[in-house]
Amino acid sequence: MAATSHHLCLLLSLVIAFSLSGVQVTMAARNLLQTQPAIPSLPTLPPTALPTLPKPAALPPIPTIPKPAALPPLPATALPTLPTAPQTLPKPAALPPLPSMPTLPKVTLPPLPAIPSIPTVIPSMPTNPFAPPPSKK
């Protein structure tokens, strides 16, 4: 029993600590949002002249690539001829007859047990649970 009271006390103190810290954090955030610090202006820099870059020397001309000679023609190879399919298909062979099923002996099942009948009359219950049971006269 003592262990549960310690757990309950610890849990209660944690809830109170989180509640109070949440209020303090909210107030601090609101204070920071409402105060707007003055942003210092950036100092202006004096204009400076950029030095001129030297002009590059004249570039050499682009070398020309010699064109390759004409390629020799590909040799012409004759394609093999496709074999011709027969015009008529052979007749399928006659299938053997299916085997006959053996006859099974007839078996009679035992009768099922009788299912008890469900009562159709629902017993009435008192509407007031604190009322005394009805007296039998």
Side-chain angles (χ1 to χ4, degrees), residues 75-83:
T77 56
L79 294 175
T81 59
L82 293 174

Side-chain angles (χ1 to χ4, degrees), residues 64-70:
T64 59
I65 300 173
K67 292 186 178 181

Side-chain angles (χ1 to χ4, degrees), residues 43-117:
T44 58
L45 298 175
T48 57
L50 295 176
T52 58
L53 297 175
K55 297 277 183 189
L59 295 175
I62 299 174
T64 59
I65 300 173
K67 292 186 178 181
L71 294 175
L74 294 174
T77 56
L79 294 175
T81 59
L82 293 174
T84 59
Q87 298 297 331
T88 59
L89 296 174
K91 299 265 184 203
L95 296 175
L98 293 174
S100 62
M101 293 290 291
T103 58
L104 297 174
K106 289 201 168 196
V107 177
T108 58
L109 295 174
L112 293 174
I115 298 174
S117 64

